Amino acid sequence: MATTTSTDSGGVFSFDHRDMMVFILVMSLHGLQSMITELLPEFSVGGLGVSIGPFWFVAMSVVLLFRSFWACLAIPVGGIVFGEILIGDFSALGAVEGLVVITTSWFFAMSLVTDPSDVKQIAAVGFLAKAMEETAAWFIDVGKFYVGVEELEAISWLPETVWATEGMGALIQIVVAGIVFGAVPTLFLYPRLRGKIEPLLGMRSAGGRDGPMFTRSSLKRLVAWVGLLPVAFAVETLSETSGGLITFTPEFVETYGQTFLFVPIAAAALIAFGLVAYRQRKVEGGV
Amino acid sequence: MKYVDAVTDISIADIKVDLMRTAYDNDRALLNTFDPRVVLVWSVLFMIVPWLFYDPLPLAILLGAAFVLAALSQVSKYLLALLLFGQITNIGFFVVMVPAMGGAIQAAGYLGDNTGRVTEAIATLDPAVFGEVWSIVATATGRGIRTATTSQSVGIDAVGAVVPFFLKLTIISVISLAVFSAMSPQKLSKGMLRLGVPRQLTFAIAYGYRMMPLLVEEYHALVNSFRLRSEVPEKTGFLKWRYFYYLLKLSVKAFYPLIFNVAKRARVTVEAMETKGFSRSLGDERSRALRTEGMMVRTRDVSFVFGSLLFIAAVWAFT
């Protein structure tokens, strides 16, 4: 049986043992890739720190072979688990951004595949997914500067510099990760994997479809990509709203002195201590 | 070149040991002794806190505290060094980039002011007017270069503005390093499960924890077998680029057999999981409760959270 293809709208998010296999496969491979490329100093040229981009061809080939929602989700999850949590370099809120941006970008790009035996189309679609992802990350990174730097606009040329440098970074990523380590190796890897790896997992190759590349379900996914970008950004900059709440307090601070801050904390601590001590005694007394 | 060699000669074995230590040797770390849910909520809270400060002094104090926490959690020094190096170069970058950008903007602005004359020159195709275009471009370039070389103060202003920003990012990274290299992945996935994260995702963490050494070992073996069967380029070329290119090609090629091995392993894993009824237990509340029983928030967890909150309040009030 084929895996869920991009065309059937019902059951795209359902989860059976085939999806589980694909999820584990993509997660392990992409995770291992991100860990290796993040850690090996051998791959930086001299002391210049020109690091080699991630091996995106792994994700491109495997995800586009199976083309399910869970395969898309497995890309960021693999990166987070292997490249961040296990190493210890976990960017909690940044990880949510990656989860949303990468998954939606790939989920959209995947729906454009009409002929899975056409390697060029596959490579182009994979490149598009990477480009969408980096563009989204560009806007989010610049937004972070606007939130995190006080009076960014007041310093001449700083906003332009931020836009330009982050944009250059995104462009380099698109070229290095999208083309050099993405689309080009995919051209060689994908045809060698297709038809060989699916039987190993007890599946048949995902089929193609007729009709135009851009269908109604593609449109829906594109809308989801556009709609979820602000969500990703909002998660990144949760601080903005909490900052608004905190700036409300200085009135109290002026009236009662700065030590007023300790009053709510002490009160909350007392209540929490009481509750926990009570529950602990009940559990330990009951046993 | 001695110093460069010291940096590039860190062997894969060293990194592997460091990595394994980070991921597996953490029973005695301070943060590992707390309830995972409390640590998770705490870390989310403290990834927001640095954003509330804009002055360098309180941020520097927070960074100091984060380093203390990192030391208590036995964070890998290699990772810390990598992180600090990245942030410092990021800041240094702005000293150069902002004046350069200013120069470019000045030049573009001057060109923009004179677009009328330039278009006129192109429309008429008069050689005399072309000379004028040339002088406009030359003036624009001159202005750009002059601005870029004379406006170092703007660059320093910009660094003054972005230093707190990068301090915030560094604090957050150091805290997350401390938290996630201290907490063991089983504890972490249990805590996330209890907080309502879908089981498919918490499973991924436990699976990665189990599989990481196997996969790294397997990849290393594949690369080594490719190296045995191939020839190292005789001429290494400028900056050894031929040698690096050779290694890079090997590491790309080694993924091909790896993909098949991982696929086989994924199938076996899922079959074993289905034998134990994984899919049936996915949405079952009783299974979730069974897996996470024995977790309890204790008074020491609460003292940890409120102690650090009081610390933040003190920083807020007295700086």
Short mmCIF file of all heavy atoms in Angstrom, two decimals, chain B residues 86-118:
data_model
loop_
_atom_site.label_atom_id
_atom_site.label_comp_id
_atom_site.label_asym_id
_atom_site.label_seq_id
_atom_site.Cartn_x
_atom_site.Cartn_y
_atom_site.Cartn_z
N GLY B 86 31.06 32.41 18.72
CA GLY B 86 30.05 32.84 17.76
C GLY B 86 29.48 34.20 18.11
O GLY B 86 29.40 35.09 17.25
N GLN B 87 29.14 34.40 19.39
CA GLN B 87 28.52 35.67 19.78
C GLN B 87 29.49 36.83 19.65
O GLN B 87 29.12 37.93 19.23
CB GLN B 87 27.97 35.60 21.21
CG GLN B 87 26.90 34.56 21.42
CD GLN B 87 25.62 34.86 20.69
OE1 GLN B 87 25.60 35.58 19.70
NE2 GLN B 87 24.52 34.30 21.16
N ILE B 88 30.77 36.60 20.04
CA ILE B 88 31.74 37.69 19.97
C ILE B 88 32.00 38.10 18.52
O ILE B 88 32.03 39.28 18.19
CB ILE B 88 33.05 37.28 20.68
CG1 ILE B 88 32.79 37.22 22.19
CG2 ILE B 88 34.16 38.28 20.40
CD1 ILE B 88 33.88 36.57 22.99
N THR B 89 32.11 37.12 17.63
CA THR B 89 32.32 37.50 16.22
C THR B 89 31.09 38.22 15.67
O THR B 89 31.23 39.13 14.85
CB THR B 89 32.62 36.27 15.35
OG1 THR B 89 31.69 35.26 15.69
CG2 THR B 89 34.01 35.76 15.55
N ASN B 90 29.91 37.82 16.14
CA ASN B 90 28.70 38.51 15.69
C ASN B 90 28.75 39.99 16.02
O ASN B 90 28.42 40.84 15.20
CB ASN B 90 27.46 37.91 16.36
CG ASN B 90 26.90 36.78 15.57
OD1 ASN B 90 27.19 36.66 14.38
ND2 ASN B 90 26.14 35.92 16.21
N ILE B 91 29.19 40.30 17.27
CA ILE B 91 29.25 41.70 17.68
C ILE B 91 30.33 42.43 16.88
O ILE B 91 30.11 43.53 16.38
CB ILE B 91 29.51 41.80 19.19
CG1 ILE B 91 28.30 41.27 19.96
CG2 ILE B 91 29.79 43.24 19.59
CD1 ILE B 91 28.51 41.16 21.44
N GLY B 92 31.50 41.81 16.74
CA GLY B 92 32.59 42.43 16.00
C GLY B 92 32.19 42.77 14.57
O GLY B 92 32.59 43.79 14.02
N PHE B 93 31.37 41.91 14.01
CA PHE B 93 30.87 42.10 12.67
C PHE B 93 30.18 43.45 12.49
O PHE B 93 30.35 44.13 11.49
CB PHE B 93 29.88 40.96 12.41
CG PHE B 93 29.51 40.77 10.98
CD1 PHE B 93 30.50 40.62 10.03
CD2 PHE B 93 28.18 40.74 10.60
CE1 PHE B 93 30.15 40.42 8.70
CE2 PHE B 93 27.84 40.54 9.28
CZ PHE B 93 28.83 40.38 8.33
N PHE B 94 29.43 43.87 13.52
CA PHE B 94 28.67 45.12 13.41
C PHE B 94 29.57 46.35 13.34
O PHE B 94 29.20 47.34 12.74
CB PHE B 94 27.69 45.24 14.59
CG PHE B 94 26.40 44.56 14.32
CD1 PHE B 94 26.21 43.24 14.68
CD2 PHE B 94 25.36 45.23 13.70
CE1 PHE B 94 25.02 42.61 14.41
CE2 PHE B 94 24.17 44.60 13.43
CZ PHE B 94 24.00 43.29 13.78
N VAL B 95 30.75 46.30 13.98
CA VAL B 95 31.67 47.44 13.94
C VAL B 95 32.02 47.77 12.49
O VAL B 95 32.11 48.92 12.09
CB VAL B 95 32.95 47.13 14.73
CG1 VAL B 95 33.87 48.32 14.73
CG2 VAL B 95 32.62 46.71 16.13
N VAL B 96 32.20 46.72 11.70
CA VAL B 96 32.59 46.92 10.31
C VAL B 96 31.37 47.15 9.43
O VAL B 96 31.37 48.01 8.54
CB VAL B 96 33.37 45.69 9.81
CG1 VAL B 96 33.90 45.92 8.42
CG2 VAL B 96 34.50 45.37 10.77
N MET B 97 30.31 46.38 9.69
CA MET B 97 29.18 46.38 8.77
C MET B 97 28.39 47.68 8.77
O MET B 97 27.94 48.14 7.73
CB MET B 97 28.23 45.22 9.11
CG MET B 97 28.47 43.96 8.33
SD MET B 97 28.77 44.23 6.58
CE MET B 97 27.11 44.46 5.97
N VAL B 98 28.18 48.28 9.96
CA VAL B 98 27.30 49.45 10.01
C VAL B 98 27.88 50.63 9.22
O VAL B 98 27.18 51.22 8.39
CB VAL B 98 26.97 49.82 11.47
CG1 VAL B 98 26.25 51.15 11.54
CG2 VAL B 98 26.10 48.75 12.08
N PRO B 99 29.18 51.02 9.42
CA PRO B 99 29.72 52.10 8.59
C PRO B 99 29.72 51.75 7.11
O PRO B 99 29.41 52.60 6.27
CB PRO B 99 31.16 52.26 9.11
CG PRO B 99 31.14 51.70 10.46
CD PRO B 99 30.15 50.60 10.44
N ALA B 100 30.02 50.49 6.78
CA ALA B 100 30.03 50.10 5.38
C ALA B 100 28.65 50.27 4.76
O ALA B 100 28.48 50.81 3.66
CB ALA B 100 30.48 48.65 5.25
N MET B 101 27.63 49.85 5.54
CA MET B 101 26.26 50.00 5.06
C MET B 101 25.91 51.47 4.91
O MET B 101 25.26 51.87 3.94
CB MET B 101 25.32 49.34 6.08
CG MET B 101 23.92 49.16 5.61
SD MET B 101 23.84 47.91 4.32
CE MET B 101 22.24 48.33 3.65
N GLY B 102 26.38 52.28 5.87
CA GLY B 102 26.13 53.72 5.79
C GLY B 102 26.72 54.30 4.52
O GLY B 102 26.07 55.09 3.82
N GLY B 103 27.95 53.89 4.19
CA GLY B 103 28.58 54.35 2.97
C GLY B 103 27.76 53.97 1.76
O GLY B 103 27.51 54.79 0.87
N ALA B 104 27.30 52.73 1.73
CA ALA B 104 26.51 52.27 0.59
C ALA B 104 25.23 53.08 0.46
O ALA B 104 24.82 53.46 -0.65
CB ALA B 104 26.18 50.79 0.76
N ILE B 105 24.60 53.39 1.63
CA ILE B 105 23.35 54.15 1.58
C ILE B 105 23.60 55.57 1.08
O ILE B 105 22.84 56.10 0.26
CB ILE B 105 22.68 54.16 2.97
CG1 ILE B 105 22.16 52.77 3.30
CG2 ILE B 105 21.55 55.16 3.02
CD1 ILE B 105 21.70 52.62 4.72
N GLN B 106 24.71 56.16 1.55
CA GLN B 106 25.05 57.51 1.10
C GLN B 106 25.25 57.53 -0.41
O GLN B 106 24.73 58.41 -1.10
CB GLN B 106 26.34 57.98 1.79
CG GLN B 106 26.17 58.33 3.24
CD GLN B 106 25.64 59.74 3.41
OE1 GLN B 106 26.07 60.64 2.71
NE2 GLN B 106 24.69 59.92 4.29
N ALA B 107 26.02 56.56 -0.89
CA ALA B 107 26.30 56.50 -2.32
C ALA B 107 25.02 56.33 -3.12
O ALA B 107 24.77 57.04 -4.10
CB ALA B 107 27.27 55.36 -2.61
N ALA B 108 24.17 55.40 -2.64
CA ALA B 108 22.91 55.15 -3.34
C ALA B 108 22.03 56.39 -3.31
O ALA B 108 21.37 56.73 -4.29
CB ALA B 108 22.19 53.96 -2.71
N GLY B 109 22.05 57.09 -2.18
CA GLY B 109 21.25 58.31 -2.05
C GLY B 109 21.70 59.37 -3.04
O GLY B 109 20.88 60.00 -3.71
N TYR B 110 23.01 59.55 -3.17
CA TYR B 110 23.53 60.54 -4.11
C TYR B 110 23.14 60.17 -5.53
O TYR B 110 22.71 61.02 -6.32
CB TYR B 110 25.05 60.64 -3.98
CG TYR B 110 25.65 61.73 -4.83
CD1 TYR B 110 25.55 63.06 -4.45
CD2 TYR B 110 26.30 61.42 -6.02
CE1 TYR B 110 26.08 64.06 -5.24
CE2 TYR B 110 26.83 62.42 -6.81
CZ TYR B 110 26.73 63.74 -6.42
OH TYR B 110 27.26 64.72 -7.20
N LEU B 111 23.26 58.90 -5.84
CA LEU B 111 22.85 58.43 -7.17
C LEU B 111 21.37 58.69 -7.39
O LEU B 111 20.94 59.13 -8.45
CB LEU B 111 23.14 56.93 -7.33
CG LEU B 111 24.55 56.53 -7.73
CD1 LEU B 111 24.63 55.02 -7.88
CD2 LEU B 111 24.96 57.20 -9.04
N GLY B 112 20.57 58.43 -6.35
CA GLY B 112 19.13 58.62 -6.43
C GLY B 112 18.78 60.08 -6.71
O GLY B 112 17.89 60.38 -7.51
N ASP B 113 19.52 60.99 -6.06
CA ASP B 113 19.25 62.42 -6.27
C ASP B 113 19.53 62.84 -7.71
O ASP B 113 18.97 63.81 -8.20
CB ASP B 113 20.12 63.27 -5.33
CG ASP B 113 19.68 63.11 -3.89
OD1 ASP B 113 18.53 62.68 -3.70
OD2 ASP B 113 20.47 63.41 -2.99
N ASN B 114 20.43 62.10 -8.34
CA ASN B 114 20.83 62.49 -9.68
C ASN B 114 20.29 61.57 -10.76
O ASN B 114 20.78 61.58 -11.89
CB ASN B 114 22.36 62.54 -9.76
CG ASN B 114 22.92 63.66 -8.90
OD1 ASN B 114 22.72 64.83 -9.19
ND2 ASN B 114 23.56 63.29 -7.80
N THR B 115 19.26 60.80 -10.43
CA THR B 115 18.72 59.87 -11.44
C THR B 115 18.23 60.61 -12.66
O THR B 115 18.35 60.11 -13.78
CB THR B 115 17.55 59.03 -10.88
OG1 THR B 115 16.79 59.86 -10.03
CG2 THR B 115 18.04 57.80 -10.18
N GLY B 116 17.67 61.80 -12.44
CA GLY B 116 17.13 62.58 -13.56
C GLY B 116 18.19 62.80 -14.62
O GLY B 116 17.97 62.49 -15.81
N ARG B 117 19.36 63.24 -14.17
CA ARG B 117 20.42 63.53 -15.13
C ARG B 117 20.93 62.26 -15.80
O ARG B 117 21.27 62.25 -16.98
CB ARG B 117 21.56 64.27 -14.43
CG ARG B 117 21.20 65.73 -14.18
CD ARG B 117 22.44 66.54 -13.94
NE ARG B 117 22.99 66.30 -12.61
CZ ARG B 117 24.21 66.67 -12.26
NH1 ARG B 117 25.01 67.25 -13.13
NH2 ARG B 117 24.63 66.44 -11.04
N VAL B 118 20.97 61.16 -15.00
CA VAL B 118 21.48 59.91 -15.56
C VAL B 118 20.55 59.39 -16.65
O VAL B 118 20.98 59.02 -17.75
CB VAL B 118 21.67 58.85 -14.45
CG1 VAL B 118 22.07 57.52 -15.05
CG2 VAL B 118 22.71 59.31 -13.46
#
